[in-house]
Amino acid sequence: KCTWSSVVKLGQSLYREKPGQDKFRPKQATPVSNFFLAGSYTYQDYLDSMEGATRSGIMVADEIIARADGPNGLAAKAKENQVETPKPFFAV
């Protein structure tokens, strides 16, 4: 049972969609190490919408995984820094 509701309309809340504006939208990956952007304003297929924000978040997650799994990623760095654990010696 709904006892109260409200519709909020903001005429200026959407980006102006016109040709050539995509170049001004930031990509999810940035030049700053381990700093990513997500949101409906970033470069993805759905301009200024919940779908766009969700898609942007998925793109950020994909970028993080790619960087973690890549040749300079976290998995590779862990292998580089891996110290061989000495095997226990048991006297028989």
Side-chain angles (χ1 to χ4, degrees):
K1 181 177 174 182
C2 181
T3 58
W4 182 84
S5 68
S6 176
V7 176
V8 177
K9 294 183 180 181
L10 302 172
Q12 302 297 323
S13 67
L14 298 175
Y15 289 101
R16 184 175 184 167
E17 194 170 354
K18 63 182 183 178
Q21 295 300 301
D22 280 346
K23 65 184 173 188
F24 298 112
R25 295 168 66 196
K27 295 190 181 201
Q28 284 73 25
T30 68
V32 179
S33 179
N34 293 326
F35 183 73
F36 303 90
L37 298 174
S40 62
Y41 61 93
T42 61
Y43 187 78
Q44 36 71 28
D45 292 334
Y46 305 103
L47 183 64
D48 199 31
S49 64
M50 287 303 295
E51 291 82 5
T54 302
R55 180 70 185 128
S56 178
I58 291 169
M59 291 170 77
V60 166
D62 289 343
E63 184 67 31
I64 291 170
I65 290 168
R67 288 189 185 188
D69 291 342
N72 297 321
L74 296 175
K77 287 181 182 179
K79 285 182 183 177
E80 286 175 7
N81 296 330
Q82 187 176 23
V83 177
E84 190 172 322
T85 307
K87 295 186 169 100
F89 174 78
F90 297 120
V92 181

